[in-house]
Amino acid sequence: MVRSKPPSKKPNRGVDFKKIKRKIGKKLPPPKNQTNTEIKSKAIVLPEQSVASERSGMAVNKKGLTLRELLQQTSHHNAKIRKVALNGIRDLVLKHPSELKLQKLSIIEKLRERISDSDKLVRETLYNLLKTVIFPSLKEEFTGSMISMMMAYVFNAMTHIAIDIRLMAFKFFELIVISFPSSFLLYAEKVLDNYVDILKNNQIYLQDKSKLKSVLAGLVRCLSLLVDREDILSNETKILEHECLHSFEVELPKDHSGMPSVLKRIEDLVPLLVNSFHDSALSIQAMPVIDGQSFDCILYTLQNINMAVKVVVDEINRPHMSHEFSSILPSNGNKLMPNTMLMYLKKLGDSFPVGKIYHSAEKEGERFFILNLGITEIFLHLITWIDDPNLFEKLLHFIETLLLKQGSRNLSATKTILEKQLVSIISLFPRIVAVSGGWRLRLLEAFTTAFRNCKVESTHCLAYLAAIEEMLKDDSAFKSCDPDMLSYQIVWLQELPNLLLKLGDRHPPLSKVILKLLLQIGQCSPQNSPLASEYNCLQWRLKEFYGTQVSVVIAGPVNYGPFIKLPTDCQELSICCLYYFSSLNPDLLQSITFCCLCNHLEPSVLLRIIEVLESAFRAAHLPISDYIGFLVTLIARFKVYPAQLKKLGTRGWTLLER
């Protein structure tokens, strides 16, 4: 038997890397040299904190912050925190209004710093905070010193290197003058300097139409305050008399000593506006369709030019114009106007009319028509200085076309626009007629047609009445032997009772204007003149104004006119008109009697009717038989006996005794 060999033994060797077999799906163990970064801590709970105890009873916003903390956060380096702080101030002030009253000075001092904030959202948040909360709440407590504090930062922002901050500064200024109009008169010169500066560089700063529109809209507001400066000063004086804004009293301008420097700024401003208009007009004429931004910009430009011209013309026509201002104006007889303004305004006249009015699409034609209406209004203020016959002809032709379009009953969208734009042109119509020469009859015809066809409740009906009153207020208008002018005066007079009946008792202020005009015509018309004869013929139409009997049956129902329901001042005017009828018609007297028998008529009005009719009787305007019949009717109706006459007082007894 063979012996098997024993297995050979292999020498043991060291293992460098141990191979570990991993099973699929099992998580790998962490490495042995991994550092444990887990941190364990325990919260420290205190029963009460000192800060919380100090806030008890204090005014805080939704996040528990006090006004002092919020004001501090408005200066934080992070723009988001500054914005949140401003919103927090809004919440706190709305929740605790007394905090604003007590801390108004501290709030204004801190908020004004954000006018020049580098972040747009922060500036807009501040603007909304001032507009909706701060200014309305402090309307009667915002003193002149507080306005000065705000204005210092506003003017600083107007010179900022960043154009967005400069433009926003104009919005802040506009917000202040809207809330406190008299403040503009104190800073007019300085703000106009800034407007001149930014409009000089409009090609650099205002290439964006929205930015240009914003600047021009703000300038419109500022110049409108200059136009209305007399009313603003008058209102502020009344406020001061009621013990409001006492600290602002010393800062209100008492005279027009600052106007010459303001007018010099306006003289610098007008050429810039005319150049801007000229450039914009050329660009929109090249456009297939005018975009809204461009149209708004050019319209605002015209409005600014118009108000600038009005300010200068009003100052020239002022009875006591300052010597300083008169010294800078060129003299030409009675004409005074800055040469620079006239030169550039002639350039504006050269571009009139703008666009192709009669060959454009309907919407485009309306827009061009509005622009030409704006140019026309500008030159109507300058009608004394127009020495260009061609321009004068174009203006008169446009005014005639405008009135005929308004007088037409077949207008579409144009009529709506003209309703809003015509008032200023109509108010200047008497001045136009006075210098229109050969165009006089054509313009009067167009004016009369437009007046007869205007809606009685439209915005410009009052303007027509004011223009008619202006043309009739001079005594020479009633004594004129011009048959053409007389024919139009008669048409205007005949239209007044119709307007009264259309109005009814819905618009007492307008009815009052018509009645005043009727009374003026009755008072000023020479006896036995054609206009006086036409005034007498109005009695038949005025019957319906007082009251008419529905049927011929005796004691039948009466249809009362507007007279019964109108206010006392309107009734007084209509009663006074009765005296100036040279012969009071029995039918009109009957209508007046119906009103006297009405239970709704005030006793004082009844006595006033008796007084006026007695005066008419004494002036031989009322036959004695009609007058006695009127008095007997009243006595029989009210069953007046001597004992009952005491109720009417001494005045009533004397009247009825006669």
Side-chain angles (χ1 to χ4, degrees):
M1 185 174 188
V2 181
R3 185 179 295 181
S4 62
K5 294 182 179 180
S8 59
K9 295 181 180 179
K10 295 182 180 179
N12 292 331
R13 297 178 180 176
V15 180
D16 294 332
F17 300 98
K18 187 177 180 180
K19 187 177 181 182
I20 301 175
K21 293 183 180 181
R22 306 292 185 191
K23 292 184 179 181
I24 298 175
K26 295 293 184 179
K27 185 178 179 181
L28 294 176
K32 293 181 179 180
N33 60 349
Q34 180 181 5
T35 302
N36 186 8
T37 59
E38 183 180 357
I39 299 175
K40 294 182 180 180
S41 64
K42 292 184 179 180
I44 300 175
V45 180
L46 298 177
E48 184 179 8
Q49 294 186 16
S50 59
V51 176
S53 63
E54 291 176 1
R55 292 173 184 270
S56 59
M58 296 181 66
V60 295
N61 70 338
K62 295 178 181 178
K63 295 185 178 181
L65 297 175
T66 63
L67 179 61
R68 181 179 179 181
E69 292 170 336
L70 291 169
L71 291 175
Q72 289 175 348
Q73 289 184 5
T74 58
S75 301
H76 198 275
H77 63 86
N78 191 312
K80 291 184 179 179
I81 294 179
R82 296 198 299 271
K83 178 185 173 184
V84 171
L86 292 173
N87 288 326
I89 293 174
R90 172 197 293 272
D91 296 337
L92 189 145
V93 169
L94 292 176
K95 188 178 179 181
H96 304 281
S98 59
E99 286 294 304
L100 178 60
K101 306 288 185 181
L102 295 173
Q103 304 293 333
K104 55 181 180 292
L105 192 60
S106 301
I107 293 173
I108 294 299
E109 283 182 344
K110 203 65 180 176
L111 292 183
R112 63 179 183 167
E113 298 174 1
R114 303 275 62 82
I115 291 175
S116 300
D117 197 282
S118 58
D119 188 81
K120 179 181 179 181
L121 293 177
V122 174
R123 296 194 304 271
E124 291 178 349
T125 305
L126 173 64
Y127 180 87
N128 292 327
L129 174 62
L130 294 174
K131 181 179 180 180
T132 59
V133 179
I134 304 297
F135 287 167
S137 301
L138 297 177
K139 187 71 175 179
E140 296 181 357
E141 301 181 23
F142 213 86
T143 62
S145 59
M146 296 170 69
I147 291 177
S148 300
M149 291 165 53
M150 293 288 294
M151 287 298 188
Y153 278 75
V154 169
F155 287 123
N156 181 57
M158 285 183 182
T159 59
H160 200 278
I161 191 172
I163 183 60
D164 289 338
I165 295 178
R166 295 182 67 179
L167 296 179
M168 193 69 187
F170 286 103
K171 290 189 66 177
F172 279 110
F173 181 83
E174 183 182 355
L175 176 62
I176 294 173
V177 299
I178 288 174
S179 304
F180 313 100
S182 59
S183 61
F184 175 74
L185 303 177
L186 302 172
Y187 304 98
E189 181 181 350
K190 196 168 184 179
V191 76
L192 289 177
D193 276 336
N194 285 283
Y195 273 115
V196 169
D197 179 65
I198 200 165
L199 288 174
K200 277 183 179 178
N201 302 289
N202 65 340
Q203 298 298 330
I204 301 173
Y205 298 140
L206 306 176
Q207 290 182 351
D208 185 354
K209 291 293 184 183
S210 62
K211 294 180 179 179
L212 178 60
K213 177 182 174 182
S214 176
V215 171
L216 293 172
L219 184 57
V220 167
R221 179 63 186 175
C222 293
L223 292 178
S224 65
L225 292 173
L226 271 180
V227 173
D228 301 330
R229 61 190 181 278
E230 296 289 348
D231 295 335
I232 293 172
L233 290 174
S234 175
N235 292 336
E236 288 296 334
T237 303
K238 291 178 182 178
I239 292 174
L240 291 172
E241 289 174 355
H242 287 81
E243 299 182 350
C244 294
L245 294 176
H246 282 295
S247 58
F248 196 43
E249 182 176 5
V250 295
E251 299 186 45
L252 282 174
K254 300 297 181 183
D255 53 27
H256 301 273
S257 58
M259 280 306 294
S261 57
V262 171
L263 292 166
K264 290 177 182 177
R265 302 308 186 278
I266 291 178
E267 187 179 354
D268 296 335
L269 192 61
V270 168
L272 299 174
L273 293 170
V274 172
N275 286 335
S276 176
F277 170 82
H278 191 262
D279 295 339
S280 300
L282 292 177
S283 64
I284 65 171
Q285 289 181 21
M287 294 179 182
V289 178
I290 306 176
D291 64 275
Q293 294 276 14
S294 299
F295 176 74
D296 290 341
C297 287
I298 194 170
L299 188 59
Y300 280 134
T301 303
L302 284 177
Q303 291 176 1
N304 280 308
I305 297 172
N306 180 44
M307 279 183 281
V309 169
K310 284 179 69 175
V311 171
V312 175
V313 172
D314 289 346
E315 191 65 21
I316 291 173
N317 295 332
R318 189 179 299 280
H320 304 291
M321 184 176 59
S322 63
H323 174 72
E324 182 182 354
F325 179 51
S326 61
S327 63
I328 68 172
L329 298 175
S331 177
N332 182 15
N334 293 326
K335 299 181 179 181
L336 295 169
M337 177 63 67
N339 279 330
T340 307
M341 282 185 61
L342 281 178
M343 182 180 67
Y344 277 90
L345 289 171
K346 288 178 181 179
K347 181 180 177 182
L348 178 65
D350 293 338
S351 61
F352 178 81
V354 179
K356 301 178 181 179
I357 303 177
Y358 308 106
H359 303 284
S360 303
E362 183 177 359
K363 186 175 182 180
E364 299 301 303
E366 290 173 358
R367 286 180 166 178
F368 281 124
F369 203 87
I370 293 172
L371 296 180
N372 287 304
L373 188 60
I375 298 174
T376 302
E377 184 180 356
I378 292 169
F379 282 101
L380 288 183
H381 294 299
L382 297 168
I383 201 162
T384 309
W385 291 272
I386 298 177
D387 55 4
D388 183 356
N390 185 36
L391 174 60
F392 194 66
E393 287 279 327
K394 290 191 293 184
L395 288 170
L396 295 180
H397 176 69
F398 180 81
I399 293 170
E400 181 190 27
T401 305
L402 173 69
L403 292 172
L404 291 176
K405 278 182 174 288
Q406 193 275 332
S408 172
R409 296 182 181 273
N410 300 318
L411 291 176
S412 57
T414 307
K415 189 169 185 178
T416 305
I417 298 173
L418 294 180
E419 290 276 343
K420 301 176 182 179
Q421 301 291 333
L422 264 174
V423 174
S424 57
I425 301 295
I426 297 171
S427 62
L428 296 169
F429 188 79
R431 192 184 306 177
I432 302 169
V433 172
V435 297
S436 57
W439 282 80
R440 182 165 173 263
L441 294 181
R442 292 176 59 175
L443 292 175
L444 285 171
E445 180 64 30
F447 175 86
T448 304
T449 302
F451 171 59
R452 296 180 68 178
N453 293 331
C454 78
K455 291 182 179 179
V456 69
E457 298 177 2
S458 65
T459 55
H460 55 267
C461 183
L462 186 61
Y464 280 115
L465 293 171
I468 292 173
E469 183 179 8
E470 180 76 16
M471 288 186 282
L472 293 177
K473 72 178 182 179
D474 188 4
D475 290 341
S476 61
F478 296 97
K479 299 176 182 178
S480 174
C481 298
D482 184 357
D484 296 319
M485 188 64 183
L486 178 62
S487 63
Y488 291 113
Q489 291 174 352
I490 290 173
V491 173
W492 302 337
L493 178 60
Q494 292 173 344
E495 196 64 26
L496 297 180
N498 298 333
L499 291 178
L500 278 176
L501 295 176
K502 289 178 183 178
L503 281 171
D505 57 355
R506 297 189 304 276
H507 297 280
L510 190 54
S511 297
K512 183 178 179 179
V513 172
I514 297 172
L515 289 168
K516 284 180 67 176
L517 186 55
L518 277 172
L519 181 60
Q520 177 187 345
I521 295 173
Q523 290 173 335
C524 300
S525 299
Q527 192 174 7
N528 299 323
S529 66
L531 202 59
S533 300
E534 288 296 329
Y535 183 80
N536 282 321
C537 294
L538 297 180
Q539 297 184 64
W540 185 82
R541 290 291 292 150
L542 287 175
K543 288 192 306 178
E544 299 178 32
F545 175 74
Y546 293 98
T548 55
Q549 200 166 20
V550 177
S551 62
V552 295
V553 180
I554 299 176
V558 176
N559 185 15
Y560 292 106
F563 173 81
I564 292 294
K565 294 184 179 180
L566 283 173
T568 307
D569 54 351
C570 293
Q571 291 176 334
E572 171 68 21
L573 289 170
S574 62
I575 294 170
C576 291
C577 289
L578 300 176
Y579 175 80
Y580 296 99
F581 292 120
S582 59
S583 178
L584 201 60
N585 191 290
D587 291 336
L588 179 60
L589 183 61
Q590 184 184 39
S591 298
I592 297 168
T593 306
F594 290 149
C595 293
C596 293
L597 302 179
C598 179
N599 295 327
H600 300 292
L601 190 69
E602 292 291 332
S604 59
V605 179
L606 172 60
L607 292 177
R608 182 61 179 152
I609 292 175
I610 296 173
E611 282 182 347
V612 172
L613 291 182
E614 182 195 10
S615 299
F617 165 69
R618 291 180 178 278
H621 297 169
L622 179 63
I624 187 171
S625 57
D626 292 342
Y627 181 54
I628 292 176
F630 168 75
L631 294 178
V632 169
T633 302
L634 293 186
I635 293 174
R637 166 65 176 81
F638 294 107
K639 300 179 181 179
V640 179
Y641 299 99
Q644 293 175 325
L645 282 174
K646 295 179 181 179
K647 296 180 181 179
L648 296 176
T650 306
R651 180 183 174 200
W653 169 265
T654 304
L655 288 171
L656 291 179
E657 190 180 42
R658 291 173 182 172

